[in-house]
Amino acid sequence: NLNIKPNGIYIDGTMGGGGHSLAICQKLTTGRLIAIDQDLYAHEAAKKTLKDHLNKITFVHDNFANIKSILQNLGIEKVDGVLLDIGVSSHQLDEAERGFSYQKDAPLDMRMDNTNDFSAFDVVNTYSEEQLYQVIWNYGEERWAKRIAKFIVEQRQQKTIETTAELVECIKKAVPKGARKEGPHPAKRTFQAIRIEVNKELEVLEKAIVDATQQLNTGGRLCIITFHSLEDRIVKNAFRLQQNPCTCPKEFPVCVCGKKPLGKVITKKAILPSSQELEQNHSSRSAKLRVLERI
């Protein structure tokens, strides 16, 4: 869906362990890949994966929300494709000490960029009960958000919550026993919500879609993989706006706002993983790919 040209310039805005970057580089001859990640550990891991293609790659330690300034600094005006694979990477989940996983005990961290000061510890231990509720409800769509926020505040009055295991235990106490028997792990949605809050993931995504579309050459593609409904909704709505930015009332016979479309949506419905992919890569089960082409 990126329609890779061997001499094109492409951005992998979420390099992670370098899997997608490798697939892009294998199709490039004289082309260039700009590999962006805010996680310094990811750069270390990806350079090993990409060792045979280093001459084609420019590595950038930054957030993909800054695509415009990144390209400006590199003296590049337009690119032929951008790929964003949103959310926490397998690489980050595998590193227990990063605190992303509710299945491994570690300090409460969840920072994708470990040079930032703000972490999951701050959210859990300094947010008010109302703020915690809003985060867990809005970003985790957790039905027990109110109880979980209340239990977290009660728990930290006795002792600071410092580890993922302590937080998981607190969440389990908050979620009624009957509700714990069905559905995903009781801590899954809360951990997702806190991670999104720590890394400002949804705010970053909206800005990046607009900026990335503007930086594409005509015919260039923006491909975005999401893993939950909140991200997918943002992508779907943002793509729709790029295709039809008109703000005129429906009853107007002609457009007078003057806003012109920048792209066309290639995927009427999100592309889902095949049964073969699901067998090989279990973590792709909730992935959705949407594609926009610059016009």
Side-chain angles (χ1 to χ4, degrees), residues 136-155:
I136 297 166
W137 174 251
N138 291 330
Y139 295 157
E141 298 179 314
E142 170 58 70
R143 63 183 289 211
W144 301 105
K146 251 188 166 43
R147 272 177 66 87
I148 292 168
K150 181 172 179 284
F151 274 61
I152 287 172
V153 171
E154 286 173 359
Q155 173 69 30

Side-chain angles (χ1 to χ4, degrees), residues 83-278:
L83 171 69
L84 301 176
D85 183 2
I86 306 303
V88 68
S89 70
S90 306
H91 176 71
Q92 287 162 333
L93 284 171
D94 290 342
E95 294 179 310
E97 69 277 8
R98 302 290 296 278
F100 285 104
S101 175
Y102 46 81
Q103 293 174 324
K104 298 167 183 173
D105 190 21
L108 271 176
D109 191 336
M110 302 194 201
R111 291 171 299 167
M112 290 180 178
D113 181 352
N114 62 334
T115 63
N116 283 343
D117 294 329
F118 186 70
S119 72
F121 177 89
D122 300 299
V123 174
V124 172
N125 289 288
T126 69
Y127 276 28
S128 68
E129 188 174 327
E130 178 60 23
Q131 284 174 311
L132 282 168
Y133 162 66
Q134 291 295 339
V135 166
I136 297 166
W137 174 251
N138 291 330
Y139 295 157
E141 298 179 314
E142 170 58 70
R143 63 183 289 211
W144 301 105
K146 251 188 166 43
R147 272 177 66 87
I148 292 168
K150 181 172 179 284
F151 274 61
I152 287 172
V153 171
E154 286 173 359
Q155 173 69 30
R156 75 188 192 201
Q157 282 167 355
Q158 297 167 36
K159 179 194 170 294
T160 306
I161 300 172
E162 295 180 7
T163 69
T164 52
E166 287 170 6
L167 180 58
V168 167
E169 197 52 42
C170 185
I171 293 165
K172 281 182 175 175
K173 286 176 186 170
V175 176
K177 194 175 178 182
R180 293 203 303 268
K181 287 179 182 173
E182 51 195 47
H185 189 287
K188 181 181 179 180
R189 292 191 177 97
T190 301
F191 268 62
Q192 171 189 298
I194 294 169
R195 190 200 80 222
I196 288 170
E197 174 69 8
V198 168
N199 299 289
K200 306 298 177 206
E201 291 174 40
L202 301 187
E203 296 166 35
V204 163
L205 181 56
E206 290 191 58
K207 180 182 184 298
I209 292 169
V210 175
D211 288 353
T213 307
Q214 290 172 351
Q215 301 305 130
L216 287 171
N217 282 317
T218 302
R221 297 276 184 93
L222 171 57
C223 297
I224 303 184
I225 302 168
T226 60
F227 284 86
H228 59 78
S229 58
L230 292 169
E231 295 168 343
D232 184 54
R233 207 175 302 141
I234 287 171
V235 174
K236 190 163 61 172
N237 292 338
F239 277 12
R240 198 181 291 139
L241 269 178
Q242 297 298 329
Q243 182 168 272
N244 181 21
C246 176
T247 53
C248 298
K250 286 178 182 172
E251 58 269 21
F252 277 29
V254 291
C255 172
V256 293
C257 73
K259 293 183 177 177
K260 303 288 183 201
L262 281 182
K264 65 173 179 182
V265 178
I266 300 300
T267 44
K268 299 297 176 215
K269 286 186 175 177
I271 298 169
L272 304 177
S274 64
S275 52
Q276 185 185 354
E277 165 117 22
L278 287 168

